[in-house]
Every structure is written in structure tokens, then in C-alpha cells.
């Protein structure tokens, strides 16, 4: 039974599958590799039988305390405090910044590791695909933890592209669907919308 191009469909027994042609495979893999380069290294691998608390508080395992300067990294690793919530608005901004720095110090490296593993899962999944002929497609099947890995990576890719386009979900429809074909942002916009479709149909299979 054939599969709809560009859409994830549920597999019997769990998981998801999608038919991808050579160009789609190449674009997805390239985006995932670029995401890996942007994220950078995560937390070092702990020694076998290491005490989890000792690993957490070890100086070499602690992450940065400063907010990233790259807008894409700010989207991927936002401050834990200082958002629009009513509780945050009651606290002194300097105190919120200190809380965010401390939270980032103990969580960002692990978060980077998880995001790297998600992006690596995408690359490795695609490396095993071989479309038939110049215009053929290959079926990618995701089972076990792979659907969630892919879901995380697709979300991170969309956040990164949204940062590069300087858009938010609130102005997405107004901005993206009205760009003329000769706008230099058009290819990135098309990739953003395509990734959104992949993400939506993958969510529906879970």
C-alpha cells in the first residue's frame, strides 16, 4: 500500500512512516546537520556507576550561566524565569535573571545533549534511506523512541528557522503566506511550512 507524500501515517502496532524523495531526504539531513552545528556539544558522558548528584554538581559538567546571544539559541534555550506569567512580574528583574542563570547552569548542557541526540536520530534515520531512481521515493519507518526523537528535532528546526525569519506563531499566517515569489526569504519560509506539516502529521500518529 502506497503512502501519501510528505505526510506521516501511523504504522500498525505503533510508530509512523513517511515516503520521502531524494530531494526531501537531502534537505532534511542538511537541516539536521546544521542544527547539530548550532547546538554544539552537550554534557560529557558520565562514568559508569557515577553518582548522579555528584555528576550534576561536578564543575566540569556545569553549563553556561549567560543567555545566548544568537536569537536561534535563545529560542532553543530560553530563560526559565522572566516570562509573561503573573508570578514572574511580581519579582525584581535582577532576581529573575539570577534565577535563570542558576537554572541554566545546571540544565543547559543536558538539554543540549538531548537536542543533539534528537538531531542525530534524524540524520542516522535518513542515512539508511535509498530512493529508487531519480524521481523515486523511499519509505522511512519510525518505531520505538524514534517518533519522539523526530518530533523534538522537527520542533527545534522550526524554532531555529522562525528565529532566522524573525517571526512568532502570532504573526506566522500574516507574514509567511503573503511573501512574493522573488522574496529571498521564500525558500526558508517554504522549509518552515513543510516542517510544520511534517510535525503536525507526526503528532497525529502518536
Amino acid at each position: 500500500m502506497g503512502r501519501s507524500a510528505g505526510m506521516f501515517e501511523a504504522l500498525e502496532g505503533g510508530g509512523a512512516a513517511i515516503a520521502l524523495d531524494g530531494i526531501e531526504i537531502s534537505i532534511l539531513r542538511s537541516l539536521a546537520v546544521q542544527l547539530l552545528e548550532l547546538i554544539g556539544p552537550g554534557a560529557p558522558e558520565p562514568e559508569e556507576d557515577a553518582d548522579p548528584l555528584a555528576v550534576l554538581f561536578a564543575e566540569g559538567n556545569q553549563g553556561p550561566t549567560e543567555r545566548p546571544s544568537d536569537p536561534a539559541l535563545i529560542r532553543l534555550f530560553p530563560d526559565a524565569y522572566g516570562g509573561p506569567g503573573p508570578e514572574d512580574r511580581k519579582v525584581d528583574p535582577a532576581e529573575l535573571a539570577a534565577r535563570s542563570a542558576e537554572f541554566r547552569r545546571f540544565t543547559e548542557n543536558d538539554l543540549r545533549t538531548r537536542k543533539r541526540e534528537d538531531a542525530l536520530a534524524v540524520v542516522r534515520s535518513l542515512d539508511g534511506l535509498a530512493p529508487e531512481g531519480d524521481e523515486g521515493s523511499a519509505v522511512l519507518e519510525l518505531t520505538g523512541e524514534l517518533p519522539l526523537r523526530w518530533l523534538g528535532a522537527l520542533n527545534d528546526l522550526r524554532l531555529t528557522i522562525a528565529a532566522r525569519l524573525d517571526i512568532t506563531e502570532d504573526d506566522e499566517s500574516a507574514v509567511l503566506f503573503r511573501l512574493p515569489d522573488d522574496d529571498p526569504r521564500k525558500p526558508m519560509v517554504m522549509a518552515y511550512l513543510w516542517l510544520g506539516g511534517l510535525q503536525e502529521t507526526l503528532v497525529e500518529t502518536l
Side-chain angles (χ1 to χ4, degrees), residues 20-30 126-127 129-131 137-138 194:
L20 297 169
D21 62 30
I23 294 176
E24 291 169 331
I25 293 170
S26 177
I27 291 173
L28 276 171
R29 191 184 187 285
S30 176
L126 296 172
D127 282 345
L129 288 186
S137 63
W194 177 50

Side-chain angles (χ1 to χ4, degrees), residues 69-142:
S69 58
D70 187 321
L73 289 175
I74 292 174
R75 296 271 184 112
L76 294 174
F77 306 104
D79 286 332
Y81 303 95
E87 293 304 317
D88 283 351
R89 288 199 293 267
K90 298 176 183 178
V91 183
D92 179 72
E95 174 65 19
L96 288 174
R99 292 182 186 178
S100 291
E102 189 70 1
F103 187 84
R104 187 180 295 278
R105 177 185 176 196
F106 291 111
T107 61
E108 185 167 310
N109 274 349
D110 283 341
L111 187 56
R112 283 180 184 267
T113 296
R114 181 176 63 77
K115 290 180 181 297
R116 280 187 60 83
E117 289 173 350
D118 289 346
L120 275 172
V122 171
V123 173
R124 289 166 178 162
S125 299
L126 296 172
D127 282 345
L129 288 186
E132 297 180 2
D134 294 336
E135 299 181 1
S137 63
V139 175
L140 171 68
E141 295 188 353
L142 304 178

